[in-house]
Amino acid sequence: MSSGQRDAGVSNPAHVAIIMDGNGRWAQMRGLPRQEGHRRGLEALRRTVRNASDLGIQVLTLYSFSTENWRRPYAEVSFLMGLLKHFVEKDLAELSAANVRVRIIGSRDDLAADLRRLVEHAEASTRNNTGLVLVIAFNYGSRDEIMRATRRLAAEVAAGRIDPAAIDEAAIAGQLDTHDLPDPELVIRTSGETRISNFLLWQAAYAEFIFAPVMWPDFDRAAFEEALAQYRQRERRFGGLAAPSDRSVGVA
Ligand code: IPE
Ligand code: IPE
Ligand code: MG
């Protein structure tokens, strides 16, 4: 960011969500198997968690496996499942020592029983930590999340426990996997792709988006800080108007 640009005075986001994309291409560009890209992607994930804590981010959500990623070859899917398992087993103690609270969002129904137990253990054992909230979106799809939330609300209505007219935005948000988390102010996608791929459709309604040209394994402190600097230059309006000093047509 050049120093001549206006400082909008916006502070860093409390919640940053990242679509960690480009592991396969990172590997392919180097003549390596895709799995090597995923391995290096895990290193980038670890680095990003440390940087987020360090930069004062309160919530970091990382998209690790989508409900659509089951369409990949079996070997890649099982490698990615193994990588999550490895991460939780190997890093949980260190994360907990760093006061990180771990949350997993996404559907647990299709996960193997051992992975499900591990995920539950990660959440339970870090529940009282007060530092960075690390949210791993695994087997996550926004449409699937909204569908599961809708089913629960419909069951409540069918049982006569809630009146359909009482279903407001808060009631829907309260049924999502993210019910206890603030909405992300910033969504970053690496790899240069400019799509959302079924990520936080409800929660990112007013998020700022940054599409970083780096492949995920190359996402480093400088790339993170650059994204935050860009975010701070954004003008967030939420459907209203810019701050009075910025308005070209002012009110009397
Ligand atoms: C992101 O990298 C990791 C996951 C989606 C699990 P990709 O595996 O999508 O890498 P590209 O997009 O093929 O390069
Ligand atoms: C999005 O990346 C999902 C994750 C990063 C986990 P994909 O690589 O799966 O997305 P598409 O297929 O390019 O949209
Ligand atoms: Mg991809």
Side-chain angles (χ1 to χ4, degrees):
M1 225 17 66
S2 82
S3 56
Q5 272 178 290
R6 162 182 80 92
D7 179 6
V10 176
S11 50
N12 269 347
H15 182 176
V16 178
I18 308 184
I19 303 174
M20 309 183 290
D21 195 22
N23 292 349
R25 276 164 286 171
W26 181 94
Q28 273 154 7
M29 286 181 317
R30 289 162 178 79
L32 298 167
R34 290 178 60 84
Q35 296 190 347
E36 191 52 31
H38 293 313
R39 252 189 228 109
R40 294 294 291 261
L42 179 58
E43 285 172 31
L45 181 155
R46 291 181 167 126
R47 184 164 70 225
T48 303
V49 171
R50 282 194 298 271
N51 285 331
S53 285
D54 210 37
L55 290 161
I57 304 299
Q58 289 161 36
V59 183
L60 175 70
T61 298
L62 299 173
Y63 201 7
S64 327
F65 190 88
S66 77
T67 46
E68 287 72 37
N69 285 146
W70 294 99
R71 294 178 186 156
R72 295 189 181 196
Y74 176 77
E76 181 160 344
V77 169
S78 43
F79 186 81
L80 290 167
M81 296 286 153
L83 213 56
L84 176 70
K85 195 160 175 257
H86 171 79
F87 170 65
V88 177
E89 281 172 341
K90 194 156 183 295
D91 289 39
L92 187 61
E94 199 184 313
L95 289 168
S96 199
N99 203 18
V100 173
R101 180 154 74 93
V102 179
R103 288 271 282 105
I104 315 287
I105 58 170
S107 173
R108 300 195 183 174
D109 293 349
D110 314 313
L111 301 184
D114 61 337
L115 191 54
R116 209 161 51 221
R117 272 196 301 274
L118 201 59
V119 153
E120 281 160 9
H121 170 64
E123 289 188 325
S125 66
T126 61
R127 187 177 292 138
N128 297 322
N129 289 351
T130 55
L132 176 77
V133 180
L134 172 62
V135 185
I136 305 281
F138 195 86
N139 194 25
Y140 177 85
S142 211
R143 288 184 169 185
D144 175 75
E145 178 191 37
I146 292 168
M147 179 195 74
R148 287 185 282 107
T150 305
R151 279 188 188 152
R152 280 193 293 270
L153 285 170
E156 291 292 295
V157 169
R161 282 192 289 268
I162 49 175
D163 178 352
I167 299 177
D168 55 9
E169 291 189 8
I172 295 172
Q175 290 295 331
L176 298 175
D177 297 350
T178 52
H179 59 91
D180 54 346
L181 301 165
D183 287 342
E185 295 97 333
L186 171 62
V187 176
I188 301 170
R189 183 174 187 145
T190 57
S191 90
E193 302 296 349
T194 48
R195 56 178 169 265
I196 194 164
S197 301
N198 204 10
F199 187 49
L200 303 179
L201 299 180
W202 174 280
Q203 298 88 339
Y206 265 104
E208 296 295 325
F209 283 78
I210 287 176
F211 297 99
V214 295
M215 297 300 158
W216 175 249
D218 291 329
F219 189 79
D220 58 8
R221 173 80 175 219
F224 202 167
E225 287 190 13
E226 169 62 23
L228 294 174
Q230 278 186 42
Y231 170 83
R232 290 193 300 269
Q233 297 297 319
R234 299 275 176 93
E235 183 189 281
R236 307 189 72 207
R237 295 189 191 158
F238 302 99
L241 298 177
S245 60
D246 286 351
R247 280 186 216 164
S248 49
V249 182
V251 279

